Amino acid sequence: MAQTRTSSSRADVALGAAQESVRASIEAAQKIADCSMEAGSEAAQRVQKSLKDALDALRGTPAKATPSANRESA
């Protein structure tokens, strides 16, 4: 039974590390998108929103419904 707890604990640590890695990657991409948004491009704005939604999902924050959220990109 102790081995099961150890395996579970290791799995929790691995999951936490994986989530942190994904979060760091998304945050880095978000910073790049922030720089791109200074140019005011619509594509950069869509990327920024997508990255924000991804971070919110990782944090467990419910996404706000927006009219453009259900729209396919043209």
Side-chain angles (χ1 to χ4, degrees):
M1 187 137 153
Q3 186 176 8
T4 302
R5 277 189 236 148
T6 301
S7 296
S8 177
S9 177
R10 287 181 183 162
D12 290 341
V13 170
L15 178 59
Q19 286 177 326
E20 184 58 31
S21 177
V22 168
R23 185 177 353 288
S25 294
I26 292 170
E27 287 173 348
Q30 191 172 26
K31 287 177 184 178
I32 292 168
D34 283 340
C35 292
S36 298
M37 281 185 63
E38 290 178 10
S41 75
E42 185 178 332
Q45 290 173 356
R46 281 187 260 145
V47 168
Q48 180 67 17
K49 181 177 179 342
S50 177
L51 292 168
K52 182 181 181 310
D53 291 347
L55 280 174
D56 288 345
L58 280 173
R59 291 179 184 136
T61 306
K64 293 180 183 175
T66 60
S68 62
N70 295 327
R71 207 171 52 190
E72 295 278 330
S73 51

